[in-house]
Amino acid sequence: QVQLVESGGGLVQAGGSLRLSCAASGSIFRVNVMGWYRQDPGKQRDLVAAITTGGTANYADSVKGRFTISRVNAKNTVYLQMNSLKPEDTAVYYCNARVQAYYYSGGSDYWGQGTQVTVSS
């Protein structure tokens, strides 16, 4: 089994910053793509940013220039640095990872428990 544990959410004023962290642990041979999604109540879960093992990142248009995703492969950990936060960034943020449990297995998607980010105006 694989667990993703997130931390770093909270309440911040508009224009402020937060840093989210997510660490994967358990039966892991390799962690491939890692990413962050967010979801408002009653809405679909949308991609915020994702990063490959080699460090190639992509971002949702709404966060480009404000958010930065990074990872430490040796720690199976991904980070999301969020700057210049806006009230519309308020959501539950979920960590996602595509994990190979064994060298011979394909990848499976795992999710963190979610962390609330609230940006006040």
Side-chain angles (χ1 to χ4, degrees):
Q1 272 292 4
V2 175
Q3 299 81 39
L4 301 183
V5 178
E6 304 160 355
S7 60
L11 173 64
V12 65
Q13 289 189 330
S17 298
L18 284 174
R19 188 187 193 218
L20 305 182
S21 301
C22 171
S25 62
S27 290
I28 297 174
F29 169 71
R30 179 186 294 126
V31 180
N32 295 319
V33 177
M34 301 186 81
W36 291 94
Y37 290 70
R38 65 188 182 188
Q39 186 172 26
D40 286 330
K43 296 186 178 180
Q44 68 179 19
R45 192 172 295 184
D46 294 324
L47 176 69
V48 176
I51 186 168
T52 67
T53 305
T56 300
N58 67 285
Y59 299 90
D61 288 342
S62 59
V63 306
K64 284 180 181 177
R66 300 188 298 121
F67 290 11
T68 302
I69 189 170
S70 61
R71 64 187 287 174
V72 177
N73 291 331
K75 295 183 178 181
N76 292 326
T77 299
V78 64
Y79 306 94
L80 186 68
Q81 178 66 44
M82 304 185 292
N83 299 329
S84 302
L85 282 160
K86 304 176 181 180
E88 50 264 42
D89 294 318
T90 296
V92 178
Y93 284 69
Y94 294 91
C95 174
N96 171 266
R98 176 64 62 92
V99 178
Q100 280 179 262
Y102 307 98
Y103 73 93
Y104 53 80
S105 62
S108 297
D109 278 334
Y110 293 89
W111 293 91
Q113 78 281 6
T115 185
Q116 178 70 45
V117 171
T118 302
V119 184
S120 63
S121 57

